[in-house]
Amino acid sequence: MPYSAEIIVVGCGNILFADDGFGPEVIKALGEYSKENPLPDNVMLIDAGTGGPHFVFSLPHEEWKKMIVVDVVQFDAEPGTVRKFSVDEIPKGSYENVHSWPVNQPLHDLADVCEVMVIGCKPEHISAPDVEMGLSKSVEDAIPKAIEMILKEIRG
């Protein structure tokens, strides 16, 4: 099993569709941060992109204690606002990736075997189906806040 760690941090999204790339960009920035400030050995960072979430969420590993999903989430806030969501706060059918695959059911199932949360950022602009590289300024500026929240969850 390639994803064997107690704490899994999974960045979801598509870097080709503007702010939808928030999750992968946070994983990239957290990887850079960890070069100077190593993360605990029980933590694994995964850039799951768009196709990976189904694979990751549907194949839980007995070693997993906590999964932190990083993604854009539509909620009532200013673009760039970052918030922690519990799985119970994500209504079934409302959380889908860019290809409209409902991923909240696998997350609810996964919550039966480990702690699951979503660090979500309100997007300013998702360009799909048009390709647009790069995050909006408000979402890019939210990356340090997301990293701060993730580190708090990792360190307990």
Side-chain angles (χ1 to χ4, degrees), residues 30-74:
L30 194 52
E32 289 297 318
Y33 170 86
S34 69
K35 290 178 182 174
E36 298 286 325
N37 307 281
L39 299 174
D41 291 338
N42 66 343
V43 176
M44 178 179 281
L45 305 177
I46 301 170
D47 177 354
T50 56
H54 279 275
F55 176 73
V56 173
F57 299 159
S58 61
L59 293 173
H61 190 275
E62 61 192 31
E63 192 175 356
W64 295 1
K65 303 285 187 234
K66 182 183 284 190
M67 175 176 280
I68 304 169
V69 178
V70 187
D71 203 352
V72 289
V73 176
Q74 293 290 352

Side-chain angles (χ1 to χ4, degrees), residues 1 7 13 15 20 31 37 39 49 53 55 57 71 73 84 86 89 97 107-108 123 132 151-152:
M1 173 54 141
I7 301 173
I15 62 169
D20 194 50
N37 307 281
L39 299 174
F55 176 73
F57 299 159
D71 203 352
V73 176
K84 175 181 154 185
S86 71
E89 291 180 285
N97 71 18
L107 285 178
H108 280 268
E132 187 178 316
L151 292 174
K152 182 178 176 186

Side-chain angles (χ1 to χ4, degrees), residues 99-148:
H99 298 289
S100 298
W101 293 336
V103 295
N104 59 349
Q105 186 58 46
L107 285 178
H108 280 268
D109 293 344
L110 192 56
D112 291 338
V113 296
C114 72
E115 183 181 358
V116 178
M117 68 194 65
V118 175
I119 301 295
C121 179
K122 170 77 179 258
E124 183 174 320
H125 171 65
I126 294 178
S127 65
D130 298 324
V131 173
E132 187 178 316
M133 299 293 290
L135 303 175
S136 65
K137 182 167 181 357
S138 61
V139 172
E140 184 174 354
D141 289 349
I143 291 175
K145 177 66 175 173
I147 289 175
E148 177 185 319

